[in-house]
Amino acid sequence: MALFNFANPWLFAFGILGNLVSFLVYLAPIPTFYRIVKKKSTEGFHSIPYVIALYSATLMIYYALNKSDATLLITINSFGIVIETIYLSIFIAYASKKLRVSTIKLVVLLNIVSYVMIVAVTYFFIEKPKRVQVLGGINLLLSFIVFVAPLSIIKKVIQTRSVEFMPFGLSFFLSLSAVMWFFYGLLSKDVYVAVPNILGFLFGIVQMVLYAVYKNCDSKPVEELKLPEIVKGTPEIHPVDIPKGEENDTKKKDESGAKEKTTVDAADQV
């Protein structure tokens, strides 16, 4: 297998650009993990995206090793394995006991058990030409799962009318990365690389449009829009939830108080 394919300069160019942009995408979670280390807590963050990213990178390398002229796929996914392993190590170190155990189980299940099974079955029971198609199909399915994952973020943005959890920079670079790898797959006639990146590009565009719509919106989630009222007789502010049985009594007291005030005002005027 040749180290690089210079026969098609456009293919090489999109492969290099894809590596550069994907490198930035892999580095995007650094502020998140800096926050985890600083606070010594994983807070509300989840490990699943990083476990899936590590799994995808390892499978893509095995796929690339069974192809020819796929060095640029190997380089970026090798970096992906290193950086995702670092992320997961930090996550496990600062996660709660329950979350730490579940993350380790998921890593073992996907990145060890599942990966070894796929490698063993495809290597010993499937010949190389057919092996590339089988591995490509697996990677295609996994890529769809990775790209569909932002649906939860899109839903959250619409519900909360806030782009706090969907940075524009990440959406932009994900879209740009999808464009680079789509053309790389198209020029190399690799449908397993080109097709999933169409979906990745579309989701990236949707995220950027939502960012433009909601970036200046200060609305809160529906469950947070409960306005506080000042309870009489106390300096504190509490959300008021009056039971139905007490609501009528309160209303009668207010009406009685209003009548007494009217009578006093009339007496003062006489």
Side-chain angles (χ1 to χ4, degrees), residues 4 12 15 17 38 43 61 64 90 99 101 111 141 156 185 187 190 211 229 234 240 248 257 268:
F4 293 110
F12 180 74
L17 289 172
K38 187 176 181 180
E43 298 180 304
I61 283 184
I90 295 173
L99 189 56
V101 171
N111 295 284
L141 178 61
K156 191 169 187 177
L187 293 170
D190 190 333
Y211 186 92
E229 289 183 12
T234 173
V240 176
N248 293 330
D268 290 342

Side-chain angles (χ1 to χ4, degrees), residues 45-96:
F45 296 107
H46 298 282
S47 61
I48 293 177
Y50 310 105
V51 177
I52 297 296
L54 178 61
Y55 187 48
S56 176
T58 53
L59 280 178
M60 184 56 75
I61 283 184
Y62 182 52
Y63 167 75
L65 288 172
N66 284 275
K67 282 175 56 67
S68 59
D69 302 325
T71 305
L72 292 172
L73 289 176
I74 296 173
T75 54
I76 188 58
N77 285 287
S78 297
F79 176 75
I81 289 176
V82 173
I83 196 70
E84 297 299 339
T85 301
I86 293 173
Y87 290 155
L88 285 170
S89 299
I90 295 173
F91 190 93
I92 291 171
Y94 292 102
S96 63

